[in-house]
Amino acid sequence: MKIIFASVLFFATVMCVKAQHTDLIANSEGRKTVSLDGQWQTIVDPYETGYYDYRYQPSANGYFKDTKPKSKSDLIEYDFDTSETLAVPGDWNTQKERLLLYEGTIWYKKAFDHQKKPNTRIFVYFGAASYLSDVYLNGQKLGRHEGGFTPFNFEITNLVRDKGNSLIVKVDNKRRRDAVPTLNTDWWNYGGLTREVKLIEVPDTFVQDYFIQLQKGSQNRIGGWVRLNGGKLNQKITVRIPEARISQTFTADVKGYAEINLNADLTLWSPNNPKLYDVKVEAETDQVQDQIGFRSIEVKGSEILLNGKPIFLRGVSIHEEAPFRGGRAHSKEDAGTLLNWAKELGCNFVRLAHYPHNETMIREADRMGIMVWSEIPVYWTILWENPATFENAQAQLSEMIARDKNRAAIIIWSVANETPLGDTRLTFLKKLIERARSLDSTRLISAALERHYLDDKKTQMIDDPLGEYLDVLGCNEYVGWYDGLPEKIDTLDWKTKYQKPLIMSEFGADALYGKHGDALTRWSEEYQEDLYRRTVKMLKKISFLRGTSPWILMDFRSPRRPLPGIQDFRNRKGLISDRGEKKKAFYVMQEYYRELGAPLQK
Ligand code: GCB
């Protein structure tokens, strides 16, 4: 009987892997937090011995129990406290040479004390963990999170102790066919607790989330909502923007939800003047503060309008890879280096490929006045027909929007990159677009599509049926690199079936910094430079072009790129090497952006 009870309990606590984590606490930055960053004890577990028993059944006494021998005869085959450590935040691959190519499970443990104050609730918040995480506190499972690039949190109010807490996370970065992304990509599969981990302390009833932006199409009317979580939901909520002399009170309904609607006379956010306001959301039991910019973004025919005026998006694509040291970028310094390079290039826009980047990057873009395209890793050939794959993609999309919906810098949500035409794919992506629009009606939706040739062998046609559902067309093209030699670029005409703006979301060529040759020598800076020259000429002729984000700002690691002495497992399409050296093509693009009105930078 005891055994049955114990195993039922075990099933409920350990096996309940579907346990939903609490909805995201928006703006973890503006809260009372305790950082858990630093060194964590870790156990590398390629066979998942800490999770499954020898019959490959989930074990009741896995590593998450963090058990210590009670006597000298006890058999315990692991010990976090004498195991090696890894830094958090940080990918594991670049911290230890033998982990560079590791794909599997690593267990992380952090011990901490926490004196909980009366009438407060505590959450543990993860900026991101790549890719699949099972989280335990003091031997109890908090839940599971899937997806390597979005934040999640769990409530630990009733589990946390004053002293000696053991927080354990099993992080597994094995690639899977049904995952998002799927098995093959063109970037490194960095694993680990790649972003910050913290405790967030809030009052019993707290402001869980809010959406405060200009209403679609308006430059003087703020719309949105505030949502409370807790036992006292029916409260008064005041939204204050002191600098704009705004203070308006709303009442949350019984579900803790209040709709926001107010007139505002604001200095609008733009690349020339990235004005952010201090915004306070004050409920009776809690208050939060954020810095929010206000701007409108719309399309009209093939124009993109920022604050009602046509704009050209002078962009560049960026991976979340750290300059100089390599590995996943996560710090303010990483963001500063990458975004300052983009500014130097003449950018007012960046495409943050191919997954949501860290929050610091978005907040820096907000402060620096750089518009952002943010996307989810629905990349190449996802399992379109698999419902769980869809749920996963939709969750990643929702978490991306939940975190960044108040950032003026973000103007575009992108749902996919270079996905193959087909009915199941179209249905999948249409549903994602519907979801994005239902969560955020104020921003533009795009996807990076492909083009095809018409019979004349020179017309590049963009008529992907998905185009009908997008606000802005994105198109990746590699004429002159994967498709012919650069002179082919001179012959092309561009057409689209849709009366919509186009962003050339990728083009480029690999060049090893310092390798010279003539313009037909692959991997040379001159080849890349020539390809950029010809591409810029071509771009100038596309009447519906409203933006470009060449591939890519900086060289990045990729297992698809083995060529010795040249690639050495790096995609070399950067305009800048991973050591910060600018290639010749950088200056071609800089010149083009100057002609398009980019201000001179240092
Ligand atoms: C693409 C992909 C990008 C690759 C790039 C390349 O089309 O979207 O992820 O890295 O091409 O270099 O081949």
Side-chain angles (χ1 to χ4, degrees):
M1 184 60 190
K2 216 169 162 188
I3 291 172
I4 293 172
F5 179 71
S7 56
V8 168
L9 198 72
F10 165 66
F11 190 78
T13 56
V14 178
M15 293 303 296
C16 188
V17 290
K18 285 273 172 208
Q20 274 304 304
H21 53 93
T22 317
D23 280 348
L24 194 67
I25 300 182
N27 184 24
S28 68
E29 278 206 357
R31 309 271 179 177
K32 193 153 178 280
T33 60
V34 179
S35 171
L36 295 180
D37 293 349
Q39 295 294 317
W40 288 49
Q41 310 293 145
T42 54
I43 300 174
V44 182
D45 188 14
Y47 289 11
E48 299 183 297
T49 309
Y51 193 79
Y52 296 108
D53 65 17
Y54 81 120
R55 297 289 184 217
Y56 207 59
Q57 295 302 312
S59 162
N61 287 309
Y63 294 175
F64 48 86
K65 288 285 182 195
D66 194 14
T67 310
K68 304 277 176 207
K70 289 185 189 62
S71 76
K72 63 182 180 190
S73 316
D74 256 5
L75 176 62
I76 309 283
E77 293 189 76
Y78 68 96
D79 182 6
F80 277 103
D81 299 334
T82 52
S83 293
E84 286 184 86
T85 63
L86 284 168
V88 174
D91 62 87
W92 63 54
N93 313 71
T94 56
Q95 294 191 50
K96 296 210 158 83
E97 193 147 1
R98 71 189 147 81
L99 296 178
L100 184 65
L101 280 159
Y102 183 66
E103 297 186 318
T105 282
I106 293 189
W107 294 83
Y108 284 77
K109 173 191 164 176
K110 188 77 173 173
F112 67 93
D113 301 335
H114 186 79
Q115 269 79 48
K116 196 182 97 58
K117 289 173 205 64
N119 309 318
T120 60
R121 293 165 67 185
I122 313 288
F123 293 79
V124 57
Y125 177 97
F126 296 85
S130 183
Y131 165 85
L132 181 67
S133 315
D134 293 281
V135 185
Y136 307 82
L137 183 69
N138 300 331
Q140 294 244 19
K141 180 144 195 167
L142 300 176
R144 166 173 281 194
H145 180 264
E146 181 162 1
F149 304 96
T150 44
F152 53 98
N153 50 233
F154 300 101
E155 180 157 14
I156 57 170
T157 310
N158 298 326
L159 282 176
V160 71
R161 301 175 189 144
D162 284 359
K163 287 229 165 306
N165 292 284
S166 161
L167 176 63
I168 289 181
V169 191
K170 174 186 186 294
V171 186
D172 180 0
N173 76 332
K174 275 195 296 298
R175 287 169 295 122
R176 290 194 334 251
R177 179 67 188 99
D178 64 335
V180 181
T182 184
L183 291 168
N184 60 328
T185 69
D186 186 21
W187 67 84
W188 210 261
N189 179 24
Y190 292 117
L193 295 177
T194 51
R195 297 183 190 157
E196 79 281 16
V197 182
K198 52 195 167 190
L199 301 177
I200 303 182
E201 191 177 278
V202 294
D204 275 343
T205 299
F206 69 103
V207 176
Q208 177 168 342
D209 199 1
Y210 49 87
F211 187 26
I212 301 178
Q213 291 279 280
L214 284 176
Q215 281 177 2
K216 184 84 187 167
S218 170
Q219 292 177 29
N220 57 11
R221 194 141 187 90
I222 292 176
W225 46 264
V226 176
R227 198 169 64 234
L228 303 174
N229 179 315
K232 185 176 183 297
L233 292 172
N234 192 198
Q235 297 192 24
K236 290 219 174 334
I237 297 169
T238 303
V239 174
R240 297 207 303 121
I241 310 178
E243 204 186 329
R245 291 178 301 282
I246 290 170
S247 175
Q248 204 156 317
T249 301
F250 305 86
T251 306
D253 63 18
V254 290
K255 290 189 176 138
Y257 179 87
E259 223 170 276
I260 304 298
N261 203 326
L262 43 94
N263 287 324
D265 180 11
L266 299 159
T267 301
L268 299 182
W269 184 99
S270 73
N272 293 335
N273 182 18
K275 171 74 191 155
L276 300 178
Y277 286 91
D278 281 332
V279 176
K280 297 178 183 180
V281 179
E282 299 174 350
E284 292 159 36
T285 55
D286 186 24
Q287 36 183 286
V288 286
Q289 182 161 339
D290 203 350
Q291 291 214 300
I292 298 183
F294 299 92
R295 50 100 197 93
S296 71
I297 190 80
E298 297 163 278
V299 293
K300 198 167 167 204
S302 53
E303 295 296 347
I304 299 176
L305 305 178
L306 175 74
N307 300 328
K309 295 195 198 79
I311 188 156
F312 189 93
L313 305 175
R314 305 184 308 263
V316 70
S317 298
I318 303 182
H319 257 297
E320 193 187 46
E321 189 141 308
F324 307 111
R325 72 181 151 81
R328 277 268 167 263
H330 54 74
S331 67
K332 202 166 167 170
E333 198 187 337
D334 295 335
T337 306
L338 292 166
L339 293 175
N340 276 312
W341 281 340
K343 277 228 145 174
E344 209 183 321
L345 186 64
C347 294
N348 59 10
F349 170 69
V350 289
R351 174 185 179 212
L352 300 184
H354 277 303
Y355 37 75
H357 288 212
N358 61 85
E359 187 172 354
T360 306
M361 185 75 169
I362 314 291
R363 286 189 178 263
E364 284 304 300
D366 234 18
R367 284 189 264 271
M368 291 171 67
I370 301 179
M371 294 175 278
V372 173
W373 154 316
S374 182
E375 69 190 70
I376 48 169
V378 172
Y379 181 91
W380 291 351
T381 310
I382 297 291
L383 269 195
W384 308 109
E385 59 286 354
N386 182 18
T389 302
F390 175 77
E391 290 302 321
N392 179 359
Q394 181 167 261
Q396 294 191 43
L397 175 82
S398 308
E399 288 164 356
M400 168 175 79
I401 296 175
R403 193 192 68 183
D404 292 338
K405 61 187 173 300
N406 291 310
R407 303 283 76 80
I410 297 203
I411 56 165
I412 292 172
W413 302 123
S414 172
V415 295
N417 179 76
E418 287 182 2
T419 49
L421 304 190
D423 290 346
T424 47
R425 170 266 198 180
L426 189 60
T427 310
F428 187 111
L429 295 180
K430 268 165 62 180
K431 284 199 302 185
L432 284 186
I433 291 169
E434 266 165 41
R435 169 54 66 105
R437 291 196 195 284
S438 76
L439 294 171
D440 176 7
S441 62
T442 71
R443 287 180 177 78
L444 308 178
I445 307 286
S446 192
L449 310 174
E450 292 172 318
R451 35 108 219 179
H452 65 91
Y453 282 88
L454 293 189
D455 288 344
D456 64 3
K457 305 235 172 12
K458 66 185 188 100
T459 305
Q460 308 293 294
M461 184 55 147
I462 305 172
D463 57 5
D464 182 329
L466 188 67
E468 197 180 321
Y469 307 93
L470 304 175
D471 300 309
V472 178
L473 309 169
C475 180
N476 296 355
E477 65 89 6
Y478 282 93
V479 183
W481 186 255
Y482 297 122
D483 172 5
L485 292 173
E487 62 180 22
K488 191 171 183 187
I489 297 167
D490 306 344
T491 64
L492 306 181
D493 288 331
W494 286 78
K495 281 214 165 67
T496 173
K497 183 177 161 194
Y498 308 105
Q499 264 264 334
K500 296 187 181 186
L502 168 70
I503 296 175
M504 206 62 88
S505 40
E506 283 182 33
F507 57 88
D510 287 66
L512 180 66
Y513 171 77
K515 183 172 168 51
H516 297 290
D518 62 18
L520 283 173
T521 306
R522 288 257 177 198
W523 318 111
S524 72
E525 285 194 47
E526 287 72 17
Y527 189 114
Q528 189 190 38
E529 181 187 35
D530 181 52
L531 181 141
Y532 267 77
R533 281 228 169 87
R534 291 172 192 269
T535 305
V536 164
K537 243 193 193 161
M538 175 195 83
L539 294 171
K540 288 181 181 168
K541 291 188 287 189
I542 306 175
S543 63
F544 48 96
L545 186 77
R546 290 299 175 273
T548 48
S549 51
W551 194 255
I552 188 170
L553 182 65
M554 190 189 81
D555 293 351
F556 60 97
R557 267 211 184 83
S558 168
R560 292 176 71 85
R561 310 292 173 177
L563 190 64
I566 301 280
Q567 294 177 313
D568 295 317
F569 296 98
R570 280 203 168 78
N571 183 314
R572 297 284 180 199
K573 293 194 186 67
L575 292 171
I576 305 181
S577 78
D578 47 300
R579 295 202 190 94
E581 301 137 327
K582 297 191 178 83
K583 305 178 194 172
K584 288 180 154 188
F586 180 93
Y587 300 101
V588 177
M589 213 54 210
Q590 190 185 51
E591 179 58 31
Y592 175 42
Y593 284 165
R594 248 175 228 157
E595 282 172 30
L596 285 167
L600 267 179
Q601 303 281 327
K602 55 171 171 172

